[in-house]
Amino acid sequence: MVGHTRRRTHRVARLVAIGAVVCGGVMVSQAAADGSPADGSGGDPTRALEARDTRDAELARTLVDKLGASRTAGSWIGSDGRAVVAVTDAKAADQVNQAGAHAKQVRYSMRQLRSATETLREAPRVAGTAWAVDAMSNEVVVLGDSSVSADQWSRMKGVASGIGGEVRMERTTGSFTTRTLGAEPIFTQGGRCSAGFNVTNGQAGFILTAGHCGPNGTAWFADTQGNTTVGTTVRSDFPGSDFSLVQYQNTSLDQSSVLNIGNGQTVRITGAADPVVGQKVFRSGSTSGLRTGSVTALNATVNYPEGTVSGLIQTNVCAEPGDSGGPLFAQNVALGVTSGGTGDCTSGGVTFFQPVTKAMTALGVSLPNAPASDGEAAGTASTAPNNGSDPAAQGAAGGQGGAGGQGSQVGPIIPGTQGDTSSLAGVVAYAQSFGPGLALIGAGLLGFLATLLIRPGRRGYRGYSTRWG
């Protein structure tokens, strides 16, 4: 009887050990899921996927540069997360595949597609139209909004038919606008805009924002009453491009490379780059907050009512009036500032961004590399509340979408303190989130091993022959 009890106890101990391993595994999986950065629309993108997007985007750019515009026709991130390069011949396809990307052979080269866009640019301008190279379909897509009349659209179709089969015409709802009115959190007498990124020329600090927000000499404030000065626009380029510099005049405002994206969350920007089609991106604006989507085209041209802007990033990220000038980014990398578009965050739409690389080169500025505040490391989130009571203390972009925020806030890549591995502190914090689950797995494994090494006690019996006599 005692032997049976010991064996039952042994089996129960083994089951408990196995259960501990299973439960620990579940806890580790949950910690990994919770540590994944959250996007602005309730999604759950992971840093690993974003990092792969970045690597593949660089691979695609390298291959396109190497093969040239006559043998390639753009690149994008495919549905499987790998870089895809459009090529015009089999030899180029082999080179792309050998480099680790996917090759798609197409009819028109980038040189031909760019020639088509130049023909469209030379035609009589029609406000409410836009065009860009759609690398995936190997076409130049021309969009016409609701403000374009039937006669104007007919004339545009005539231009397109004269170019050839590489041009596709599409109508879209709404109107292409520069989303200035109703913006916050930087204010001027003529309107309001969202700040984009803080930049510097090595001697002074500036806000990089949209050029249509205001001409040279525009004074900006942190409040609607004009009591707290932010700075003055010292360089504005619009139309043609869409960027401007607001020089800080209030030295109490945060001029570091930190974005305040709302809800107490911040992002430290450490570099600038050009995106690739298909890349997942985030946009922050003072009206609609943090939103996510993907890049759908590059070098887009938009004919706003105020004038034509070229070289823009086209996305399916939604935006609304007031988001103008706000930042577009991926991980810690600055990509663009909000120019304009059509639609809203209820029905969706198309939004265009001025690339920051082109703007910073033209302006002779760069991103500041401000160190983290005392007691904090880059990549961690401050727990200090942002009650909004002092606009000056909040920086030029105390709302959801601008550059600045409280000087003590040093933020993660995307909202949330876990999942940020851009610093040693972030790595430690991320690893600590797995601690309880790993401990339970370890205890379970030790217990299971013990049940293998320690057998239940057996009563001793002499060996007798099976035969009598």
Side-chain angles (χ1 to χ4, degrees):
M1 184 68 180
V2 174
H4 288 299
T5 301
R6 289 176 177 174
R7 284 192 289 274
R8 282 198 299 270
T9 303
H10 187 267
R11 285 195 293 269
V12 170
R14 180 173 294 182
L15 290 174
V16 170
I18 294 173
V21 173
V22 173
C23 290
V26 172
M27 291 174 66
V28 169
S29 299
Q30 185 62 46
D34 291 343
S36 299
D39 66 22
S41 60
D44 189 25
T46 65
R47 175 179 294 275
L49 287 176
E50 287 189 358
R52 179 171 179 174
D53 274 3
T54 301
R55 291 193 301 269
D56 279 31
E58 183 59 35
L59 172 62
R61 279 192 290 266
T62 300
L63 289 169
V64 168
D65 290 342
K66 179 180 179 180
L67 294 171
S70 62
R71 302 182 67 198
T72 62
S75 61
W76 61 93
I77 300 298
S79 59
D80 61 353
R82 292 183 62 186
V84 181
V85 179
V87 297
T88 57
D89 61 81
K91 186 176 180 180
D94 289 340
Q95 290 179 263
V96 169
N97 291 326
Q98 290 173 7
H102 289 310
K104 179 182 179 181
Q105 196 158 343
V106 296
R107 178 179 180 182
Y108 302 108
S109 70
M110 182 56 70
R111 182 167 294 172
Q112 291 172 294
L113 297 175
R114 286 175 180 169
S115 176
T117 61
E118 287 302 316
T119 301
L120 291 168
R121 185 193 302 274
E122 292 168 359
R125 178 180 176 275
V126 177
T129 59
W131 54 79
V133 172
D134 184 342
M136 295 184 189
S137 67
N138 194 226
E139 296 170 312
V140 175
V141 180
V142 180
L143 301 177
D145 70 19
S146 58
S147 69
V148 179
S149 68
D151 288 343
Q152 291 172 320
W153 191 239
S154 179
R155 288 197 296 272
M156 289 290 294
K157 282 185 174 180
V159 174
S161 63
I163 296 172
E166 60 265 47
V167 179
R168 186 175 84 242
M169 306 287 288
E170 286 187 6
R171 281 289 219 172
T172 184
T173 58
S175 300
F176 293 121
T177 62
T178 52
R179 310 182 182 276
T180 301
L181 297 178
E184 56 182 43
I186 55 174
F187 305 85
T188 185
Q189 292 182 350
R192 296 179 269 180
C193 265
S194 296
F197 299 95
N198 281 333
V199 293
T200 180
N201 63 1
Q203 298 176 336
F206 306 86
I207 298 171
L208 175 63
T209 188
H212 68 262
C213 287
N216 291 349
T218 301
W220 294 97
F221 303 90
D223 60 318
T224 55
Q225 295 77 27
N227 296 324
T228 305
T229 298
V230 172
T232 302
T233 300
V234 294
R235 171 78 183 273
S236 180
D237 193 339
F238 177 82
S241 297
D242 195 2
F243 56 80
S244 65
L245 275 184
V246 176
Q247 184 169 358
Y248 277 106
Q249 294 175 324
N250 189 336
T251 57
S252 67
L253 300 181
D254 180 17
Q255 300 180 30
S256 69
S257 58
V258 175
L259 299 180
N260 182 349
I261 57 174
N263 298 321
Q265 301 296 321
T266 55
V267 174
R268 179 173 291 281
I269 298 298
T270 59
D274 294 320
V276 66
V277 173
Q279 182 177 359
K280 185 163 190 176
V281 292
F282 293 84
R283 176 202 59 74
S284 187
S286 58
T287 297
S288 58
L290 186 68
R291 302 286 174 165
T292 186
S294 60
V295 176
T296 56
L298 302 175
N299 298 315
T301 295
V302 185
N303 292 298
Y304 294 122
E306 301 92 337
T308 300
V309 180
S310 299
L312 299 176
I313 303 166
Q314 181 176 316
T315 74
N316 58 16
V317 186
C318 72
E320 297 183 353
D323 293 329
S324 195
L328 178 75
F329 59 96
Q331 292 196 12
N332 295 90
V333 180
L335 300 174
V337 293
T338 308
S339 175
T342 182
D344 54 41
C345 289
T346 299
S347 60
V350 178
T351 304
F352 299 94
F353 298 84
Q354 166 68 52
V356 295
T357 52
K358 178 182 177 182
M360 290 194 297
T361 298
L363 296 168
V365 295
S366 60
L367 295 166
N369 295 314
S373 303
D374 292 341
E376 291 185 314
T380 62
S382 168
T383 57
N386 184 352
N387 57 24
S389 60
D390 184 1
Q394 295 173 29
Q400 293 180 328
Q406 291 181 339
S408 63
Q409 293 179 318
V410 182
I413 301 303
I414 303 299
T417 57
Q418 294 182 356
D420 172 29
T421 56
S422 61
S423 67
L424 178 59
V427 172
V428 172
Y430 190 57
Q432 286 176 341
S433 68
F434 293 94
L438 292 175
L440 193 56
I441 291 174
L445 290 174
L446 288 174
F448 184 75
L449 182 61
T451 63
L452 295 177
L453 297 177
I454 303 174
R455 297 290 183 177
R458 296 177 180 267
R459 180 178 297 175
Y461 293 97
R462 287 181 182 176
Y464 290 99
S465 170
T466 58
R467 298 177 63 182
W468 291 91

